Amino acid sequence: GPKKASAKSKLHDICAANNWKHPLYECCKEEGASHMKLFTFKVVVEMREETSTTILECFSEPRPKKKMAADHAAEGALWYLRHIGCLLSKPS
């Protein structure tokens, strides 16, 4: 079937659509033995309104791959944006 867009790319699209800065991803924790590392990522979204700026920070669960951890953090941000009514409907 068609490839599903990653949470990271959806979050990027929402930021672009709202003229916000790109989301910033940061690996904030690495734990475990070198062959079994777990990575925890944080994503920061700066949501600019006309009169205020809200900083959204979401953290991932520890994941065995950096890409998975970053995507999990993005999923948390998407969940929050969905609940405050800030999500894109289908792009036109």
Side-chain angles (χ1 to χ4, degrees):
K3 192 167 170 272
K4 210 175 81 167
S6 71
K8 279 180 74 173
S9 67
K10 285 184 193 161
L11 185 58
H12 187 277
D13 291 347
I14 289 163
C15 290
N18 286 291
N19 295 314
W20 299 338
K21 291 180 180 169
H22 296 312
L24 289 177
Y25 294 90
E26 180 188 335
C27 184
C28 52
K29 190 172 175 192
E30 283 185 36
E31 55 194 330
S34 60
H35 64 291
M36 285 178 30
K37 272 210 187 316
L38 289 175
F39 302 95
T40 302
F41 262 68
K42 170 174 86 168
V43 61
V44 179
V45 179
E46 200 174 301
M47 301 166 2
R48 283 186 308 222
E49 308 291 324
E50 282 180 28
T51 55
S52 66
T53 299
T54 303
I55 304 292
L56 169 64
E57 289 187 349
C58 290
F59 293 83
S60 72
E61 296 277 319
R63 294 286 197 248
K65 291 193 165 84
K66 288 182 178 180
K67 187 177 186 302
M68 289 167 67
D71 216 53
H72 190 255
E75 282 172 26
L78 289 171
W79 180 91
Y80 176 79
L81 291 170
R82 193 175 304 123
H83 280 76
I84 63 166
C86 216
L87 241 89
L88 286 175
S89 48
K90 296 196 167 56
S92 47

